[in-house]
């Protein structure tokens, strides 16, 4: 089944998304998500200039070979831009394979390992009171696991919220350049345990809670945070330190039994290998989009399963519904699935462009069985929401030093 055409769309139904559509000679099409937050157009160029011309006429069924052709064949194997591009192609090919086989993709992987996908939602706020109010709402909606993030008192717009946009820091603003935020490790460390203490006092221990540190600590600081949080029995803390130096996780591991998650920025299995093999983490956060597609992600899952490490794919708002649906199939299959980050059911603009259906019941996310991923993209609707350059905030210490985001 030859590839006839490949289209790349960039649209902004609330935030920027890059979507790939591969069309075969019998007009079957498949979709992939190539969104790389704040660097979207670099992926578009990589796809249009370097990938699309090489794939026209190739057999869409040869997913494994095409993946290696794009990865090894490029000589420059990894990197976030190229992997997001390869990931979207791989996803679109799996969508096509499912449609041609008249099967949901999870069936091609070996079938379902569970009835639904456990998710964690987000409760953010500018005060503990606000976070707890949002947590209460999430529990009423049926969430069984929730991530808590809160502005640190006396630091404006700290991670967890964005000034003037209380509900979410990752919403893209109208500013054409990155907004700046301030960070104080001391204030953060003095404050965060109190958030979880109050959450446990109010809601008990049945609801699973987690927290994203966003790589802002050193290993020894993160070790201390992990110990301080032990009484509140978190599902995990995510990215306590940067992942470039895997051994940072060894230090944390030696000091605390708070479970650890990392890897939303991993591009390949090689990025994750040392942490997994040494059992320094409990959850791998790599998304289908940023991990290069389903083809490498299923290898990552199988490798992690040898070491008691579970999959917890990244599901931030900058991953499109195409990625969410790909995760549904991956998570239904992966024997060592842990939990999926899920930010909700989307805005009217988003749902005008992407058509998909998921349903939350008692903490589990369900979808209907459809061939392929079960998601569609409305090209006409997308034209109403043109791309606009936009960035994540950057982060500085109080003395002005640029710090990790
Ligand atoms: O583009 C970056 C975001 O996806 C990231 O900041 C979100 O860390 C994140 C998470 O865990 O959702
Ligand atoms: Mg994260």
């Amino acid at each position: 089944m030859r590839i006839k055409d490949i289209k790349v769309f960039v649209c902004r139904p609330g935030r920027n998304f890059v979507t790939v559509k591969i069309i075969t000679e019998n007009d079957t099409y498949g979709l992939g998500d190539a969104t790389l937050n704040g660097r979207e157009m670099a992926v578009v160029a990589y796809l249009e200039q370097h990938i699309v011309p090489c794939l026209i006429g190739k057999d869409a069924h040869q997913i494994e070979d095409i993946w290696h052709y794009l990865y090894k064949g490029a000589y420059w194997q990894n990197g976030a831009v190229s992997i997001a591009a390869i990931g979207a192609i791989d996803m679109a090919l799996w969508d096509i394979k499912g449609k041609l086989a008249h099967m949901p993709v999870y069936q091609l992987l070996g079938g379902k390992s569970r009835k639904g996908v456990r998710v964690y939602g987000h409760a953010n706020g500018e005060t503990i009171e606000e976070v707890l109010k949002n947590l209460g709402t999430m529990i009423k909606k049926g969430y069984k696991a929730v991530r808590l993030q809160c502005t640190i008192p006396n630091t404006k717009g700290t991670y967890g919220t964005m000034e003037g946009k209380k509900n979410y820091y990752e919403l893209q603003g109208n500013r054409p350049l990155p907004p700046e935020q301030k960070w104080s490790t001391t204030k953060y460390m003095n404050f965060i345990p109190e958030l979880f203490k109050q959450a446990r006092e109010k809601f008990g221990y049945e609801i699973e809670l987690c927290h994203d540190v966003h790589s802002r600590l050193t290993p020894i600081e993160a070790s201390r945070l992990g110990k301080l949080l032990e009484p509140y029995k978190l599902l995990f803390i995510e990215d306590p330190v940067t992942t470039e130096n895997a051994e940072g996780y060894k230090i944390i591991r030696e000091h605390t039994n708070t479970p650890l998650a990392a890897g939303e920025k991993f591009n390949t299995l090689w990025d994750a290998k040392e942490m997994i093999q040494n059992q320094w983490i409990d959850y791998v956060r790599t998304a289908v989009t940023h991990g290069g597609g389903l083809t490498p992600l299923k290898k990552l899952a199988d490798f992690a399963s040898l070491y008691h490490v579970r999959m917890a794919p990244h599901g931030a708002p900058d991953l499109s519904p195409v990625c969410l649906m790909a995760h549904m199939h991956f998570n239904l299959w992966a024997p060592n699935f842990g939990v999926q980050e899920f930010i909700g059911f989307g805005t009217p603009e988003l749902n005008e462009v992407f058509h998909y259906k998921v349903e939350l019941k008692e903490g589990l996310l369900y979808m209907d069985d459809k061939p392929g991923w079960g998601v569609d993209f409305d090209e006409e609707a997308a034209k109403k929401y043109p791309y606009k350059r936009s960035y994540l905030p950057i982060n500085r210490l109080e003395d002005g030093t640029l710090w990790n985001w």
Side-chain angles (χ1 to χ4, degrees), residues 15 36-38 120 122 147 159 168-170 212 214 238-239 264-265 285 290 314-319 341 343 392 405:
R15 64 173 310 127
L36 190 63
N37 201 4
Y120 72 87
H122 290 188
R147 185 187 88 168
Y159 176 66
Y168 214 86
Y169 83 104
E170 275 139 340
D212 193 343
H214 242 269
E238 180 190 345
D239 284 341
E264 70 182 33
K265 287 195 271 181
R285 300 273 296 128
H290 301 140
H314 188 201
D318 48 285
L319 290 151
E341 181 180 22
I343 42 90
L392 278 168
W405 166 251

Side-chain angles (χ1 to χ4, degrees), residues 59-338:
D59 182 358
H61 275 306
Q62 299 295 102
I63 301 179
E64 189 75 35
D65 183 66
I66 289 178
W67 193 88
H68 289 276
Y69 176 84
L70 296 175
Y71 182 77
K72 291 183 191 149
Y75 186 67
W76 313 106
Q77 279 95 337
N78 51 11
V81 172
S82 53
I83 292 292
I86 298 172
I89 297 289
D90 186 80
M91 284 159 95
L93 293 175
W94 279 101
D95 195 17
I96 289 171
K97 200 181 268 300
K99 286 178 179 172
L100 292 176
H102 306 289
M103 280 185 193
V105 175
Y106 72 79
Q107 292 290 16
L108 307 177
L109 292 171
K112 280 188 194 181
S113 299
R114 56 194 54 80
K115 61 180 179 176
V117 170
R118 180 165 81 136
V119 294
Y120 72 87
H122 290 188
N124 304 301
E126 294 196 342
T127 59
I128 292 184
E129 204 185 3
E130 195 180 22
V131 177
L132 297 190
K133 188 169 146 259
N134 291 336
L135 173 57
T137 309
M138 301 293 288
I139 293 172
K140 277 200 195 110
K141 284 184 184 166
Y143 285 86
K144 303 282 186 208
V146 182
R147 185 187 88 168
L148 306 186
Q149 306 292 144
C150 187
T151 299
I152 313 305
N154 306 318
T155 53
K156 274 199 162 181
T158 319
Y159 176 66
T161 57
M162 186 186 265
E163 214 182 336
K165 287 187 183 294
K166 289 184 180 232
N167 53 348
Y168 214 86
Y169 83 104
E170 275 139 340
L171 289 175
Q172 291 181 323
N174 284 321
R175 293 182 240 185
L177 295 175
E180 298 209 358
Q181 296 184 346
K182 287 275 180 283
W183 177 256
S184 157
T185 297
T186 306
K187 288 176 184 158
Y188 170 78
M189 296 279 279
N190 288 338
F191 173 74
I192 281 296
E194 184 61 23
L195 169 66
F196 285 90
K197 179 170 177 277
Q198 291 195 27
R200 287 305 186 202
E201 281 167 2
K202 190 156 182 188
F203 296 102
Y205 281 77
E206 217 165 281
I207 179 81
E208 299 278 12
L209 299 176
C210 54
H211 177 65
D212 193 343
V213 183
H214 242 269
S215 315
R216 295 191 176 189
L217 301 178
T218 63
I220 205 68
E221 289 163 351
S223 306
R224 189 149 55 87
L225 180 71
K227 279 191 92 66
L228 289 169
L229 291 175
E230 276 175 21
Y232 314 118
K233 297 188 168 54
L234 269 63
L235 182 64
F236 58 73
I237 52 173
E238 180 190 345
D239 284 341
V241 296
T242 53
T243 50
E244 288 102 324
N245 181 1
E247 286 202 356
Y249 283 78
K250 176 175 190 278
I251 296 174
I252 307 169
R253 198 57 147 184
E254 282 166 354
H255 286 89
T256 178
N257 63 21
T258 294
L260 305 174
E264 70 182 33
K265 287 195 271 181
F266 289 165
N267 296 143
T268 70
L269 177 52
W270 305 104
D271 296 334
K273 182 172 166 275
E274 195 181 350
M275 279 188 204
I276 292 174
Q277 259 178 338
N278 287 296
Q279 303 183 42
W280 290 335
I281 55 172
D282 301 279
Y283 295 92
V284 187
R285 300 273 296 128
T286 313
V288 171
T289 296
H290 301 140
L294 182 66
T295 300
L297 219 69
K298 61 187 172 59
K299 294 175 187 165
L300 178 58
D302 280 337
F303 179 69
S305 76
L306 302 182
Y307 299 94
H308 311 286
V309 176
R310 287 186 280 175
M311 306 307 292
H314 188 201
D318 48 285
L319 290 151
S320 91
V322 178
C323 184
L324 169 69
M325 292 309 287
H327 283 163
M328 287 299 291
H329 294 257
F330 173 74
N331 296 332
L332 283 171
W333 159 74
N336 55 330
F337 166 68

